[in-house]
Amino acid sequence: MTDLEKIEDKYPWLRFWMIDVPNKHYHGHIVGNDVYLNENQDNIDWLKTALHEVVHSDFDYGDLSNKKEHTTLLAEKWAMCESRRMFKEMFEKSY
């Protein structure tokens, strides 16, 4: 089982998709229960992005598309911190 499959098994209500986005700054996003990951990133980025989007799925609500709104910035900060904690918990020994 790959590390990404471990995340998929832990969050079965989410569907994970690899998409080709030739932009090094795009990592992924979530729409409903669909998590999109940029297949052009490396394996560790996929894991971190998947966990980041899982946090959004679990804790966020409403429209976070405006990157300049205060609530969006808070949600992004929370997702970054929480996904780092989850990554360490799940994969610290592997990487």
Side-chain angles (χ1 to χ4, degrees), residues 48 51-52 55 78-87:
K48 290 180 177 181
L51 291 171
H52 179 92
V55 172
W78 169 255
M80 281 189 258
C81 294
E82 185 63 14
S83 62
R84 282 187 200 125
R85 185 197 63 75
M86 292 168 70
F87 181 84

Side-chain angles (χ1 to χ4, degrees), residues 29-91:
H29 72 281
I30 187 169
V31 177
N33 291 336
D34 294 313
V35 176
Y36 300 95
L37 304 173
N38 187 354
E39 67 182 16
N40 297 308
Q41 301 292 356
D42 62 30
N43 184 52
I44 293 176
D45 189 79
W46 294 340
L47 300 175
K48 290 180 177 181
T49 302
L51 291 171
H52 179 92
E53 301 308 333
V54 164
V55 172
H56 282 307
S57 170
D58 285 348
F59 296 102
D60 294 338
Y61 57 91
D63 181 13
L64 296 176
S65 61
N66 185 347
K67 300 292 183 193
K68 294 181 181 179
E69 283 188 17
H70 184 69
T71 53
T72 302
L73 295 173
L74 289 175
E76 285 300 321
K77 178 67 174 176
W78 169 255
M80 281 189 258
C81 294
E82 185 63 14
S83 62
R84 282 187 200 125
R85 185 197 63 75
M86 292 168 70
F87 181 84
K88 287 180 183 179
E89 183 180 292
M90 290 180 75
F91 305 111

